[in-house]
Amino acid sequence: MKPSGALSLYVHIPFCTLKCSYCDFNSYAGLEELVQPYVSALITEMELWSQYARGRPVPTVFFGGGTPSLLPIEQIGRILSALRERFELAPEAEVTLEANPGTVNLDYLRELLALGVNRLSFGVQSFHDDELAALDRIHSAAEAEEAYRWARDAGFQRINLDLIYGLPEQQMERWQASLKRAISLAPDHMSLYALTVEEGTKLAYDIDHGRAPEPDGDVQASMYEWSQERMAEAGYQQYEISNWARPGQECRHNLVYWRNGDWLALGAGAHSHLSGTRFADVYSPKRYVQLVQEAANAGPPDATDVAALLKSMRQVTYVEEARPEVARSDTLIMGLRLNEGVSLAEFRRRFGAGAEAAYADTFAELTKLDLLERTNDRIRITDHGRLLANEVFTRLLPD
Ligand code: SF4
């Protein structure tokens, strides 16, 4: 049976000017010649999914990467008009685009707004030039500030800034200075991430070879606690482990992930979640272009259900079968990231009366350890639990 209800869209743009030292996202430098065919493949992939998506309102679209702002404005225009033709974009839809401050100017931002992008997310990471250089970012602190001001001048009303804390050898004062400078710009939303060392990155290599120290977990925890206080003083509400917003300015797209809703992700390496099934497209952008074409050559796909559709989607190279115990665990783990926590009534409605009982012992134990708390019908992570979130989540994984 074809599902109904809202369907969010994610569009992955895998191109970057330079690979940042800490980055393990599916992004590549030096693939400029692939931009045009890649955008064409994205549009073909939209076509492949359009029958399935018919009748489902699209409340949010998110252009992530990679560096979506590296795309020429005409290519963004092509994607957005194709999207409007093939999906039912709600009139008040939130349309976010991730932008690297080193890639934009005032005209570009004006044109983005005119095309219907109504929210920007700038990857700023730090307001210290030496830290930006150590991270291999392509912009300076002054350029980040300038890009932010251009975005306001262009008319953007919803802007997020991403910052990273706990860099190797970073002192508390340096982080404090970065966050204060970000707050002084008055963005509507901020995402603050602790630096993590991901396998295969330049940063991991440097640490393994003694060229950089590991980030200090205790320092990161102190920075996190200080940031929580500072953000609250500045009028931001924390609504997720790493996210703060002015009232009403939460990222509606990311809320779909945390509430374990349905989203379709288009593009190389993009991960989707539809009707309990998780799947992903092939990682290599070049292979993605080829496989989307092969899928299109095979004729219109069977649009009745996700399982039938996925068989004909040649570009989908990873499918995780829907398993109720995984869906339950995902719903809890993602939902507990949010300050609102998880509604147990909603949990029972979605997974049946026995679902809550299956977690009764774990909930009781985590509550006793002051990691979870229960108020009326909701279960939430405590302040203490937020600092030990990974331990809490590990306990909620399926056996
Ligand atoms: S700009 Fe973003 S996606 Fe690109 S390499 Fe840097 S962190 Fe990764």
Side-chain angles (χ1 to χ4, degrees):
M1 203 183 74
K2 201 155 107 52
S4 55
L7 175 69
S8 282
L9 294 179
Y10 172 82
V11 181
H12 190 73
I13 307 297
F15 309 109
C16 285
T17 309
L18 194 73
K19 190 81 182 171
C20 301
S21 65
Y22 56 94
C23 177
D24 76 335
F25 299 140
N26 191 37
S27 64
Y28 306 85
L31 282 189
E32 291 75 16
E33 85 288 351
L34 208 63
V35 167
Q36 183 114 5
Y38 183 85
V39 171
S40 299
L42 278 175
I43 294 170
T44 307
E45 193 181 20
M46 286 181 205
E47 183 64 35
L48 293 170
W49 283 104
S50 60
Q51 282 298 324
Y52 168 83
R54 183 160 292 167
R56 300 188 71 174
V58 173
T60 68
V61 178
F62 196 101
F63 286 84
T67 307
S69 58
L70 208 52
L71 286 188
I73 201 74
E74 310 74 53
Q75 301 296 342
I76 305 257
R78 277 180 76 201
I79 297 173
L80 276 168
S81 42
L83 201 145
R84 287 196 178 95
E85 278 164 26
R86 291 164 180 85
F87 296 91
E88 305 196 11
L89 198 63
E92 69 297 341
E94 173 188 274
V95 182
T96 304
L97 183 129
E98 284 185 338
N100 185 315
T103 60
V104 297
N105 59 38
L106 181 57
D107 284 345
Y108 184 86
L109 294 170
R110 280 194 179 126
E111 289 179 83
L112 273 185
L113 190 73
L115 285 173
V117 174
N118 52 29
R119 186 172 181 275
L120 284 178
S121 177
F122 280 116
V124 173
Q125 319 313 359
S126 164
F127 278 104
H128 299 291
D129 287 344
D130 58 336
E131 291 178 355
L132 289 167
L135 295 172
D136 293 328
R137 300 289 303 175
I138 58 165
H139 56 87
S140 66
E143 282 167 339
E145 220 172 274
E146 188 176 42
Y148 177 87
R149 293 194 200 287
W150 281 334
R152 288 296 191 207
D153 291 348
F156 278 94
Q157 303 205 347
R158 303 186 64 200
I159 304 180
N160 167 65
L161 301 183
D162 279 354
L163 293 180
I164 301 179
Y165 60 89
L167 313 180
E169 294 182 293
Q170 188 183 42
Q171 302 290 317
M172 178 64 118
E173 304 73 57
R174 301 267 286 170
W175 164 244
Q176 290 175 333
S178 268
L179 186 59
K180 283 179 191 166
R181 193 153 160 203
I183 290 172
S184 73
L185 295 173
D188 314 278
H189 188 287
M190 270 198 266
S191 303
L192 312 179
Y193 299 109
L195 180 70
T196 50
V197 182
E198 305 294 345
E199 222 177 289
T201 59
K202 181 166 167 262
L203 178 65
Y205 181 89
D206 286 347
I207 291 173
D208 284 350
H209 290 79
R211 294 190 201 148
E214 287 210 42
D216 183 324
D218 292 337
V219 172
Q220 288 187 332
S222 309
M223 290 174 171
Y224 183 66
E225 287 181 294
W226 180 85
S227 306
Q228 286 180 307
E229 280 171 32
R230 190 70 198 85
M231 291 295 282
E233 279 164 26
Y236 291 90
Q237 286 174 358
Q238 183 172 17
Y239 70 102
E240 194 268 349
I241 288 181
S242 308
N243 285 278
W244 284 258
R246 298 258 185 231
Q249 293 300 319
E250 296 82 5
C251 176
R252 282 162 46 202
H253 184 84
N254 286 343
L255 282 170
V256 173
Y257 298 156
W258 295 316
R259 290 175 180 156
N260 209 14
D262 268 13
W263 72 88
L264 174 64
L266 306 160
H271 283 61
S272 303
H273 176 245
L274 293 181
S275 309
T277 302
R278 292 183 185 274
F279 56 91
D281 284 358
V282 65
Y283 272 74
S284 153
K286 203 167 165 197
R287 195 75 189 115
Y288 167 78
V289 172
Q290 291 163 348
L291 290 175
V292 167
Q293 197 50 53
E294 282 180 22
N297 292 345
D302 177 349
T304 47
D305 68 14
V306 176
L309 258 173
L310 289 178
K311 285 197 186 114
S312 54
M313 296 285 181
R314 304 290 302 270
Q315 76 281 7
V316 173
T317 52
Y318 167 80
V319 180
E320 189 182 304
E321 247 178 75
R323 282 166 50 208
E325 65 275 25
V326 174
R328 282 196 312 243
S329 154
D330 284 351
T331 300
L332 284 177
I333 291 173
M334 298 306 282
L336 286 171
R337 295 188 64 90
L338 292 168
N339 287 36
E340 69 182 21
V342 175
S343 155
L344 291 171
E346 172 61 19
F347 190 68
R348 286 190 295 271
R349 190 197 59 73
R350 202 161 162 181
F351 301 108
E356 187 189 343
Y359 285 96
D361 289 348
T362 313
F363 285 165
E365 211 177 315
L366 292 171
T367 306
K368 210 166 148 199
L369 293 168
D370 184 33
L371 297 170
L372 290 184
E373 63 188 4
R374 189 171 173 159
T375 14
N376 303 324
D377 178 50
R378 299 195 84 88
I379 189 123
R380 292 190 188 83
I381 199 159
T382 60
D383 288 344
H384 178 54
R386 219 167 269 123
L387 287 169
L388 300 168
N390 285 340
E391 282 175 41
V392 174
F393 299 155
T394 305
R395 302 288 295 277
L396 297 168
L397 287 172
D399 293 331

